[in-house]
């Protein structure tokens, strides 16, 4: 993927700061990351590797749940890790459990939940809470994720719309797979997930974000694992992902960067 001249200028400035900080020694940085930030992360990591000489080894999985690749399950198995990038409140739980260094946490992005349909299908009316309610009642099948967006949709949003009972037989959680993939195959008429996770999957059209009165913002955060063998290199990666050099890729993926030092 071509990286803009502005990106390179910002990244080179960041690299200079790293060198001055003495953080540019080659190392292998092991990362566990959930889906929300993956699209931007996959663009940014090669540039970080080029600038620092570090090698990044990545394991992907949801921020929560009991599937084999879920980050909490990976940690229980004792998989090696330096950096965790995941839903903020789930990272906070790992801090409380002593699995993440508390003062290493950095909030990176804000993300909105979106709605997708199969490419070419009519786009339903989601312009208001009432319109979305009518759309969901008319839909034959609905899919939602097994992470933060799906937890919200299934345990809060359906109840707020007063359709929890009606959704029981046609709405299902999708474990360990992008919801958009299920929609693209035609296995669900409507899918809910973070917009940044819907956008990279071919075969779907994003109808839009949830109506503002139903929307919830998910913060994605990064932190250093207490078992990290390369904490300095891990901190350098987090610093890069939180830097202005990363902003364009984050915005392009459908997320909003959180300014350094902002309280969320």
């Amino acid at each position: 993927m071509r990286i803009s001249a502005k990106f390179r200028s910002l990244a080179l400035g960041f690299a200079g700061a790293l060198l001055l900080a003495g953080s540019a020694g080659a190392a292998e940085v092991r990362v566990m990351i959930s889906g929300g930030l993956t699209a931007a992360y996959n663009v940014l990591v090669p540039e970080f590797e080029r600038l620092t000489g570090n090698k990044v080894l990545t394991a992907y999985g949801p921020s929560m749940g009991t599937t084999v690749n879920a980050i909490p399950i990976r940690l229980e198995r004792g998989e090696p890790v330096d950096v965790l990038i995941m839903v903020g409140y789930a990272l906070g739980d790992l801090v409380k459990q002593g699995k993440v260094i508390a003062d290493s946490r950095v909030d990176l992005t804000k993300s909105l939940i979106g709605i997708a349909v199969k490419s070419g299908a009519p786009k339903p009316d989601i312009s208001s809470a009432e319109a979305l309610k009518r759309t969901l009642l008319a839909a034959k099948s609905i899919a939602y994720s097994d992470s933060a967006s799906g937890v919200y949709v299934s345990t809060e949003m359906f109840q707020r719309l007063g359709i929890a009972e009606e959704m029981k037989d046609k709405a299902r959680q999708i474990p360990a797979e992008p919801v958009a993939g299920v929609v693209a195959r035609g296995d669900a008429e409507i899918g809910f997930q973070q917009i940044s996770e819907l956008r990279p999957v071919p075969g779907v059209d994003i109808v839009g974000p949830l109506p503002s009165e139903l929307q919830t913002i998910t913060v994605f955060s990064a932190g250093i694992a207490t078992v990290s063998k390369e904490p300095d290199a891990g901190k350098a990666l987090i610093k890069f992902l939180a830097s202005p050099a990363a902003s364009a890729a984050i915005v392009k993926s459908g997320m909003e960067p959180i300014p350094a030092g902002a309280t969320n």
Side-chain angles (χ1 to χ4, degrees):
M1 179 175 290
R2 176 174 289 181
I3 301 174
S4 69
K6 182 177 180 181
F7 178 96
R8 287 197 178 277
S9 177
L10 287 167
L12 288 170
F14 171 81
L18 272 187
L19 289 167
L20 288 173
S23 301
E28 283 193 343
V29 186
R30 296 181 179 273
V31 177
M32 292 182 187
I33 182 170
S34 63
L37 251 174
T38 295
Y41 170 89
N42 287 341
V43 171
L44 294 166
V45 161
E47 189 69 5
F48 172 80
E49 292 178 321
R50 188 186 70 79
L51 292 169
T52 64
N54 293 338
K55 178 67 176 176
V56 179
L57 305 175
T58 307
Y60 300 90
S63 296
M64 56 200 75
T66 58
T67 56
V68 67
N69 62 338
I71 290 175
I73 302 303
R74 289 183 182 276
L75 293 175
E76 286 181 15
R77 285 200 300 267
E79 290 188 23
V81 61
D82 299 296
V83 177
L84 295 157
I85 303 172
M86 56 198 295
V87 171
Y89 68 78
L91 187 76
D93 289 341
L94 295 179
V95 170
K96 293 174 185 176
Q97 295 168 27
K99 296 178 180 179
V100 174
I101 299 171
D103 63 5
S104 72
R105 174 174 172 165
V106 175
D107 293 336
L108 297 173
T109 66
K110 296 177 182 178
S111 181
L112 299 181
I113 298 172
I115 300 169
V117 295
K118 188 172 183 176
S119 290
K123 291 185 177 180
D125 185 1
I126 62 167
S127 59
S128 66
E130 193 59 35
L132 178 59
K133 177 179 178 178
R134 291 193 297 269
T135 290
L136 294 178
L137 289 172
K140 295 178 180 178
S141 56
I142 297 160
Y144 55 87
S145 82
D146 64 347
S147 198
S149 61
V151 170
Y152 167 72
V153 166
S154 61
T155 66
E156 294 187 46
M157 192 188 80
F158 290 158
Q159 282 83 344
R160 287 175 63 183
L161 291 173
I163 57 173
E165 284 299 315
E166 291 88 341
M167 294 298 102
K168 283 182 179 179
D169 292 332
K170 62 180 177 180
R172 63 189 177 102
Q173 182 187 86
I174 306 300
E177 180 185 6
V179 168
V182 176
V183 175
R185 289 197 304 271
D187 292 340
E189 185 177 331
I190 291 174
F192 292 93
Q193 201 161 19
Q194 305 292 340
I195 290 175
S196 61
E197 295 179 73
L198 296 172
R199 188 169 286 181
V201 180
V204 299
D205 292 331
I206 298 176
V207 183
L210 289 180
S212 58
E213 61 266 43
L214 294 174
Q215 186 62 259
T216 184
I217 294 173
T218 299
V219 172
F220 284 84
S221 307
I224 302 296
T226 52
V227 297
S228 173
K229 294 183 178 179
E230 296 287 354
D232 290 339
K235 289 175 184 176
L237 174 59
I238 293 173
K239 186 175 181 181
F240 180 64
L241 296 175
S243 73
S247 294
I250 289 170
V251 171
K252 187 176 181 180
S253 76
M255 306 182 90
E256 178 186 344
I258 295 176
T263 301
N264 295 281

